[in-house]
Each structure stands twice: as C-alpha cells, then as structure tokens.
Amino acid sequence: MKVLLTGASGFIGGQVASVLTASGHHVLGLDVRPSADRAGPPVTEADIRDAIAMAEHLAGVDVLVHQAARVGLGVDLDDMPGYADTNVTGTAVLLAAAARAGVRRLVLASSMVVYGEGGYACSAHGDVRPGPRTPEDLQAGRFEPRCPDCGAELTHRRVAEDAPPDPRNAYATTKLAQEHLAATWARETGGAAVALRYHNVYGPGMPRDTPYAGVAAIFRSALARGEAPRVFEDGRQRRDFVHVSDVARANMCAVDATAGLPPGTLRAYNVASGRPRTIGDLAVALATACGGPAPVVTGEFRLGDVRHIVATPDRATRELGFTAHTDLTEGVRSLT
C-alpha cells in the first residue's frame, strides 16, 4: 500500500518509516525539517499547514499515518499559539486535504496526556477524578492527589481507553483536539481512524538538550553532559515507558487494522509496555547503563505535570495484535 507518513524525520516517525518500509509498504515521508542523516526512505520537505502541498502529496495514498506534531509540556503560556497552530490547524488542513484526495484510512499519533491524571480510587468513595494539584501542595511536598470528596489518600489504577479525557496543559489539549478532528473526518468521509495513545516513549534518536523533550530524553541529555539526572518531586511518579521500536510496530499493526474497522469510526488504543515504573527507576536505569552519576531527587515540580499515569494495553493486544516486547532494563541499553 502507499502510505503517507507525516513527521517522518522525527524520533518516532523515523522508526515508523523503517518498519512500514520493511513490511512492504511504499512510504512517502514528509517533514517540515527533513533529516539527511536518518536511515530509511527519503523524506520530502513539506508543512502540514500547506493545503496545496498536502493535496499534491496525498494523491493516490491508501493510508495516512500522521506523526507530525509539536510535542512536550511547553515552557509557559507563550507556547500555546504554536501548539494550536501546528497540532490543531495543521491536522485540520491535513485531514481536509485527505478527504478531498479520497483517503479513507488514518493512523493518528495521539498521547496518554489526553487522560490528565490516571485512574484513582478512594476507599470510601470508589473511583474518583482528582483535580489538578495546587502550587501550595506541591511546594509543601504533598505530591499525591487526594480524594476530591473527603481528602483521603488515593490508590492509583491503570487507565483504559474509555476513561474520560481531562487534558491538563496546552499540549494535551491539542492532542485531544486532534482526536476529535480525526473522529469528525471519519464520520464525514466514512473512513476508519486509529488513535494511538503513546505513553512515555524512549529509545535511540531521542531529542537532546531541549525543554520540550520527554523525561527520558532530558535525563539522557544530562548524562551525556556528565551531569546527574535531576528527578523532580520525590521520584515516585509512575509512568509506562515504552520503547520506540515497540511504538513503530504498533503503527504497523494499526495500519493493517484500519482495513477492518467499521466505516465512520475512530478507535483509540493505549500504546504501552504494561509494566509501569517510577520516574526514579528510569533515572537509575539510565545512569547505570550510561555509567554516569547517580540521579538527584530535587523536590522541584512543574505545574501541569500529573502524578501517576499508567495504562492497560489490553485493547491493543486484543484488537491490534500488538504487545510491547522491550522492558526498561533492556531498552535503556540501546541508549549507550
């Protein structure tokens, strides 16, 4: 099949391009900043916000795999227009062009950030949705969310795809908007869309020395400079770290699955290892693999960060045939 892949020079997009090509698909890669030093199929310079260029490149395409996005938590609210322009306007332009070109199969790179906090239960009130943590609590070192009804400590649970979305920052809001746009595209075209909600992706090719990178990339950049990774809060925040090679395979599975979805639907899937770890665990594993200095737990925090977000990957296993293979200890060795 002919696959148009946006963001093909990116950390994840480059791996997706290689896996799709190896599986026999003809991949046309697009990126606003093509990278000359990446292996895989050639990548053409194009901006998803350019309707004329998108119309040209979408001609004859069977499946659209949309990875292009501005990523990361952001530094401050001045980043908000940039996130909206690239992630929301860009996706709208791209999907409108895809509809005109007759493309009816879509794989969208979404994110676990659409959930906000993960799942929680109170011993007295059952399943609850805690609100955003306050600056006062964070400054005092009270990092765990409390029951919104009684203030009791909560037990965190794995989140499934039917959990209500609750984005907590500008990036998260735009990723949810992308899913809504994709659902609208599917309904109005009779197409089939898959939204892959990536959890914390790490692996070779992670961006370096940028505040917009994920925590694994930030730790790896510090170690490359000979510095100790700085772990915010108390390091006990739980995440699901999934290797980029597994994420690329999930995209291949999703491309195949779009052929069997009912017309007019969007189906979301967690892309996760199913083996949650703490951010402190990640920092120690990276420092050990790199032979660098031990992590330092700082107590610092960022407003907009969530405390725990871990997933159940059962739907992806059941419906896509996808299961992550790489555990964290093995995966961090690929970064040395």
Side-chain angles (χ1 to χ4, degrees):
M1 288 185 296
K2 185 175 181 181
V3 178
L4 181 68
L5 172 65
T6 70
S9 285
F11 162 46
I12 297 173
Q15 294 264 358
V16 173
S18 296
V19 167
L20 290 177
T21 300
S23 66
H25 297 295
H26 173 61
V27 178
L28 171 60
L30 302 181
D31 202 289
V32 71
R33 287 183 294 274
S35 175
D37 60 356
R38 281 198 179 275
V43 178
T44 300
E45 182 175 355
D47 191 321
I48 59 172
R49 295 166 295 186
D50 183 340
I52 295 174
M54 292 304 100
E56 174 187 347
H57 293 301
L58 281 159
V61 164
D62 299 300
V63 185
L64 171 60
V65 179
H66 181 27
Q67 303 288 322
R70 184 169 179 172
V71 300
L73 177 63
V75 175
D76 54 37
L77 289 178
D78 286 338
D79 287 322
M80 192 179 296
Y83 280 116
D85 187 32
T86 299
N87 297 355
V88 182
T89 300
T91 297
V93 171
L94 177 66
L95 293 181
R100 291 191 297 271
V103 178
R104 295 296 179 263
R105 295 167 65 182
L106 168 69
V107 177
L108 170 69
S110 186
S111 173
M112 54 86 175
V113 296
V114 302
Y115 297 119
E117 284 284 355
Y120 290 90
C122 171
S123 59
H125 297 98
D127 292 341
V128 295
R129 298 283 292 177
R133 297 178 296 168
T134 67
E136 294 76 18
D137 279 345
L138 294 169
Q139 288 165 0
R142 294 188 292 267
F143 301 125
E144 294 291 343
R146 297 279 179 163
C147 176
D149 296 318
C150 67
E153 291 187 7
L154 299 173
T155 301
H156 70 270
R157 294 181 173 179
R158 298 189 184 194
V159 64
E161 291 86 352
D162 58 359
D166 186 19
R168 299 281 173 99
N169 56 60
Y171 170 62
T173 300
T174 63
K175 295 307 288 185
L176 182 58
Q178 285 184 324
E179 289 196 17
H180 288 317
L181 289 168
T184 299
W185 169 88
R187 284 193 300 270
E188 296 195 7
T189 64
V194 166
L196 298 177
R197 291 175 176 168
Y198 301 159
H199 285 250
N200 290 70
V201 186
Y202 72 100
M206 290 188 303
R208 293 192 177 190
D209 301 314
T210 168
Y212 298 96
V215 66
I218 291 171
F219 289 166
R220 182 65 183 86
S221 294
L223 289 163
R225 298 190 300 268
E227 300 172 1
R230 295 177 62 83
V231 181
F232 282 12
E233 300 185 19
D234 58 4
R236 298 191 183 114
Q237 311 93 301
R238 295 183 70 80
R239 299 289 189 272
D240 191 304
F241 299 101
V242 57
H243 197 268
V244 67
S245 62
D246 287 322
V247 173
R249 285 193 305 103
N251 276 269
M252 182 182 67
C253 293
V255 165
D256 295 338
T258 55
L261 286 177
T265 61
L266 178 142
R267 190 74 165 152
Y269 297 92
N270 287 324
V271 177
S273 72
R275 298 180 291 274
R277 304 287 290 273
T278 69
I279 287 178
D281 290 339
L282 171 69
V284 169
L286 281 168
T288 301
C290 297
V296 176
V297 177
T298 70
E300 297 171 272
F301 61 88
R302 298 188 303 180
L303 289 175
D305 274 346
V306 297
R307 180 61 175 173
H308 305 294
I309 174 69
V310 295
T312 170
D314 296 350
R315 179 186 288 180
T317 299
R318 186 173 62 250
E319 298 183 12
L320 299 182
F322 166 74
T323 301
H325 293 160
T326 307
D327 68 22
L328 186 64
T329 302
E330 175 190 352
V332 296
R333 294 195 192 108
S334 67
L335 303 176
T336 59

